[in-house]
Amino acid sequence: MAINDIDSSLTTVGKPVDGGCVWTAFTKPNALPTDATTKMSTLTEFVSLGEISANGFTESKAISTTDHKGWHGTVVRTSVDEETNTFKLEFIEPNRPAVAKLRYGASAVTDGEDGSVAKILDKGYDGSAHPLVIDELESDGFLRRTVIKSAVVTSFDDVPHQRGALMVYGMTFTANDPEDGSAAIEVHRAKPGMA
């Protein structure tokens, strides 16, 4: 099917899917999602990180470059030296063990009998890498699944403890290259029900 030179049906706004939108794993998973049709609930090594703030998430890409000049002083070539991909999320369920484990480290959090956090030992962040999977619905009904194969928290927001305000764990994740040399980030799209 040909795409018109201008086609507004190819635009989209981000919106959450029903149920969870963000997942991680605290042990190296046997497999990462490779499509947008597999239900995350069937990947038992992954746990939901619950609801995120109304800000959704922000994906950023930064590069550093070197300009190479010729004898006359003009730029004849620009080379890319490095690239950094980051993802900013604000988790609004701080008493969900998976969220606390991302912020404080998996060994620093004790799960309570009711499934929430019973205890946190703030003993210094360990910098462990974890996969992140983010699902969102596009305007045309497609599910857009962003798979970050290995991510490390590289920045923490201040946590507000204010009367009447949500306690939010804001974190920025930096995507690391996976050990197998594949792409660090994959985006899969499919309409629900498509195989």
Side-chain angles (χ1 to χ4, degrees), residues 3-194:
I3 296 178
N4 297 327
D5 290 338
I6 296 175
D7 190 341
S8 63
S9 71
L10 298 175
T11 65
T12 189
V13 296
K15 62 182 180 177
V17 297
D18 290 335
C21 296
V22 186
W23 292 266
T24 193
F26 290 100
T27 58
K28 186 174 180 179
N30 290 323
L32 294 166
T34 57
D35 57 45
T37 56
T38 301
K39 298 279 187 196
M40 287 303 299
S41 58
T42 66
L43 302 175
T44 57
E45 296 165 303
F46 283 84
V47 293
S48 174
L49 293 167
E51 181 71 287
I52 58 176
S53 77
N55 294 326
F57 74 98
T58 302
E59 176 183 355
S60 300
K61 182 185 291 279
I63 60 172
S64 64
T65 61
T66 299
D67 288 338
H68 304 279
K69 296 182 179 180
W71 201 1
H72 290 91
T74 58
V75 176
V76 295
R77 181 176 300 275
T78 299
S79 59
V80 175
D81 301 320
E82 61 183 44
E83 176 182 315
T84 304
N85 294 285
T86 59
F87 293 80
K88 166 78 171 147
L89 296 103
E90 297 169 332
F91 300 97
I92 63 170
E93 296 182 23
N95 293 321
R96 180 181 286 268
V99 172
K101 288 174 184 179
L102 273 184
R103 182 171 175 83
Y104 296 102
S107 65
V109 176
T110 303
D111 294 18
E113 290 182 14
D114 65 353
S116 68
V117 171
K119 183 163 96 176
I120 297 171
L121 300 173
D122 193 353
K123 53 185 181 179
Y125 184 64
D126 64 8
S128 296
H130 303 286
L132 284 177
V133 178
I134 307 169
D135 281 356
E136 62 185 312
L137 282 178
E138 295 181 352
S139 301
D140 57 6
F142 274 73
L143 175 72
R144 181 182 189 95
R145 175 168 289 162
T146 302
V147 179
I148 305 130
K149 296 178 182 177
S150 179
V152 174
V153 178
T154 50
S155 177
F156 295 100
D157 292 355
D158 294 341
V159 179
H161 293 263
Q162 299 162 346
R163 181 178 177 176
L166 281 175
M167 187 183 298
V168 176
Y169 286 169
M171 301 177 221
T172 299
F173 298 83
T174 298
N176 290 190
D177 281 337
E179 296 170 356
D180 62 5
S182 63
I185 302 161
E186 293 183 3
V187 178
H188 304 279
R189 295 178 67 241
K191 281 212 172 176
M194 293 176 68

